[in-house]
Amino acid sequence: MAKRVLVLGGDGFCGWPTALRLSAQGYQVDIVDNLSRRNIDNELCCDSLTPITPIATRIATWRQLTDEDIGFHRIDIATEPDALLRCIEQTQPDAIVHFAEQRAAPYSMKSAWHKRYTVDNNVSGTNNLLAAVIECGRDIHIVHLGTMGVYGYGRVDGAVIPEGYLPVQIETEAGWQKTDILHPADPGSIYHTTKTIDQLLFYFYNKNDNLRITDLHQGVVWGTQTPETARHPALINRFDYDGDYGTVLNRFLMQAAIGHPLTVYGSGGQTRAFIHIRDTVRCIQLAIENPPKSGERVDIFNQVTETWTVAELAQKVADIAGAEIRHYQNPRKEAAHNRLEVERGKFQQLGLNPTTLDQGLLEEVVDIARRYRERCDDARILPSSRWTRNQQLDSEGSSGQTPPASAAG
Ligand code: NAD
Ligand code: USQ
């Protein structure tokens, strides 16, 4: 079993609770992070709704509570490949969990600069990691956080999205031959595109060098705390609510808490997959403890527990917290309606027993959204990124704000 784990991006929303969970379960954990997410808060003039503490305070608090040491290495994995290699050689991990990417689709679509930054950061970071693992000569299991968005949310209506590989038949001279291919990629933003490129990098390094890789195609994460982050106020996890980084359900919870209309984009018929942060950290531990064998193909899991339409989410939050639902012109280019059927048996077989929306929503409203609502800057709620140039020009014509849509679309 893996004993030493390097968590790349371990200061972030998914990475921090994962680092604590693994430390609490007896792993020796080291975090690598360049703190770029905290700098992006400065760029966007926004802050986590929850009051997060500096990384040094987080780690010192954990040590005081548990006597467990978590190492911290401030390295940019996209631009400092030598430092990353030295860190791997020094810490000698059995597994590396890779969260260290720019993960917001709206941020990736903000401008030409943001598109370049997201591609450079994410693709170089992943390639640097893979090349460093080869160079160090150790048999390290890599666990990567991918996204459901690589599949395109049910491009073929009524088809179930498999866990990574699509069985197909190809016509040959000798008749029809069966094979498995990576599910065709159909990204919906520059950010999602980087995740599809990551997939190809994994495919190549696995085929060429027998690297052991698990790619977790995760849905939208909601919730804030895990048992470990809830142990002390200085360990609290971040909660993004702004138009770039806030994900839909957490945004709705915060909007309800401050009396802002729930910002449904377009029709609300977009179906997406969801998972609670507590289940994210459980899934990652399960993935570390069930690595593929050397020579096996990249192991792909769909890391999702439920699917809902955006309109259904808004209705659930409105029912619990008494909010108004409002439809806004969609700042994105995406299907107004889609069905989404997702295969999700692999984590269930490994024993995942998920937290559902119906169990967890009220706790989130009371413990987080209402408790910290005074910290919300309501100027940061409406989206400021647009997917296309025409949408951008339209929004500039209407002073940059996304207007409510009478005819949603
Ligand atoms: P986050 O932005 O909160 O955390 C990412 C962390 O990585 C940050 O602390 C950031 O400083 C660090 N980082 C980014 N680039 C880096 C670099 N070049 N070098 C070193 N550190 C770097 O994001 P998150 O929500 O925790 O997401 C983590 C991963 O999970 C991402 O890869 C994301 O694509 C994936 N994911 C997230 C969600 C979600 O809903 N949050 C859903 C599906 C998949
Ligand atoms: N949406 C609204 N109103 C809002 C915010 C979003 O209607 O106020 C809609 C969007 O238009 C979209 C859906 O909700 O149809 C989901 O948007 P999101 O911002 O919650 O999620 P997304 O941009 O897809 O990205 C998030 C994470 C990303 C991860 C992805 C998983 O930021 O890192 O990869 O979820 S997935 O969606 O399955 O691809």
Side-chain angles (χ1 to χ4, degrees):
M1 192 181 100
K3 284 288 174 212
R4 300 188 63 109
V5 180
L6 207 53
V7 180
L8 312 183
D11 186 46
F13 169 60
C14 298
W16 175 241
T18 300
L20 294 190
R21 161 92 182 187
L22 294 174
S23 175
Q25 299 282 318
Y27 291 85
Q28 172 55 49
V29 176
D30 281 82
I31 288 174
V32 169
D33 203 297
N34 65 349
L35 307 183
S36 54
R37 181 66 193 88
R38 292 178 187 252
N39 286 338
I40 291 173
D41 277 341
N42 297 335
E43 174 198 343
L44 299 176
C45 299
C46 195
D47 208 352
S48 162
L49 188 73
T50 48
I52 56 172
T53 56
I55 183 71
T57 310
R58 285 177 151 187
I59 288 174
T61 306
W62 183 247
R63 191 183 306 119
Q64 277 163 13
L65 286 175
T66 64
D67 258 354
E68 297 294 339
D69 272 320
I70 294 179
F72 176 69
H73 311 261
R74 187 168 181 176
I75 298 170
D76 184 327
I77 69 161
T79 61
E80 298 178 296
D82 295 340
L84 176 62
L85 175 62
R86 278 197 303 277
C87 177
I88 294 172
E89 287 173 341
Q90 179 207 326
T91 54
Q92 304 206 338
D94 304 295
I96 299 180
V97 189
H98 176 23
F99 296 100
E101 299 187 70
Q102 191 301 99
R103 70 97 175 135
Y107 184 85
S108 77
M109 301 301 290
K110 264 186 132 39
S111 71
W113 185 91
H114 293 88
K115 290 172 187 174
R116 288 196 300 274
Y117 167 71
T118 302
V119 170
D120 293 349
N121 188 63
N122 294 4
V123 179
S124 289
T126 299
N127 187 45
N128 289 344
L129 167 63
L130 294 164
V133 169
I134 301 297
E135 201 171 344
C136 80
R138 292 175 57 83
D139 179 23
I140 299 171
H141 175 209
I142 295 171
V143 177
H144 171 251
L145 271 290
T147 175
M148 284 301 295
V150 297
Y151 300 119
Y153 316 116
R155 193 164 50 162
V156 178
D157 201 28
V160 177
I161 292 181
E163 303 208 67
Y165 298 95
L166 189 67
V168 295
Q169 294 193 40
I170 299 177
E171 194 172 10
T172 70
E173 287 169 354
W176 288 90
Q177 300 286 324
K178 289 184 180 173
T179 188
D180 281 352
I181 57 168
L182 267 182
H183 189 284
D186 187 14
S189 71
I190 286 292
Y191 154 71
H192 287 101
T193 303
T194 66
K195 293 290 187 179
T196 70
I197 299 171
D198 284 348
Q199 272 197 288
L200 278 186
L201 289 169
F202 297 140
Y203 176 84
F204 173 73
Y205 279 92
N206 168 264
K207 184 178 73 163
N208 196 61
D209 301 286
N210 284 334
L211 279 194
R212 293 182 302 130
I213 301 171
T214 302
D215 200 2
L216 305 173
H217 289 182
Q218 186 169 238
V220 185
V221 182
W222 66 283
T224 314
Q225 297 278 58
T226 62
E228 291 79 23
T229 62
R231 286 186 64 174
H232 191 282
L235 301 177
I236 196 166
N237 199 13
R238 61 177 304 130
F239 180 113
D240 296 310
Y241 66 89
D242 61 289
D244 281 311
Y245 271 87
T247 49
V248 61
L249 183 52
N250 280 5
R251 273 167 64 73
F252 287 173
L253 293 167
M254 176 280 306
Q255 290 163 359
I258 64 161
H260 191 285
L262 307 189
T263 55
V264 173
Y265 297 162
S267 65
Q270 309 94 310
T271 309
R272 293 293 181 270
F274 293 87
I275 182 166
H276 194 283
I277 186 71
R278 284 197 286 265
D279 294 325
T280 290
V281 303
R282 287 184 193 132
C283 286
I284 289 161
Q285 187 182 350
L286 287 171
I288 291 172
E289 290 172 358
N290 294 276
K293 296 188 182 64
S294 181
E296 284 181 0
R297 70 183 184 185
V298 176
D299 201 6
I300 301 178
F301 291 72
N302 291 339
Q303 189 162 307
V304 309
T305 57
E306 299 176 87
T307 57
W308 298 98
T309 66
V310 167
E312 287 169 335
L313 292 181
Q315 193 58 57
K316 276 183 179 292
V317 174
D319 289 345
I320 288 179
E324 177 200 343
I325 298 174
R326 196 178 286 177
H327 291 261
Y328 290 76
Q329 271 179 18
N330 197 337
R332 306 184 183 201
K333 186 169 178 176
E334 60 185 358
H337 299 269
N338 67 293
R339 284 172 62 194
L340 183 58
E341 308 283 339
V342 183
E343 191 69 54
R344 61 187 98 155
K346 286 171 74 175
F347 272 127
Q348 279 166 4
Q349 277 168 20
L350 292 178
L352 181 71
N353 180 20
T355 303
T356 61
L357 242 64
D358 291 329
Q359 296 159 340
L361 266 192
L362 188 60
E363 164 195 322
E364 208 54 36
V365 170
V366 174
D367 290 353
I368 301 293
R370 287 190 186 146
R371 179 171 300 170
Y372 297 108
R373 65 184 158 198
E374 300 304 326
R375 289 174 49 87
C376 173
D377 175 356
D378 51 12
R380 304 288 154 219
I381 294 177
L382 291 182
S384 58
S385 300
R386 301 290 182 279
W387 256 235
T388 68
R389 189 162 162 73
N390 283 346
Q391 285 170 305
Q392 182 62 37
L393 292 173
D394 282 353
S395 82
E396 282 162 14
S398 58
S399 60
Q401 295 257 302
T402 293
S406 43

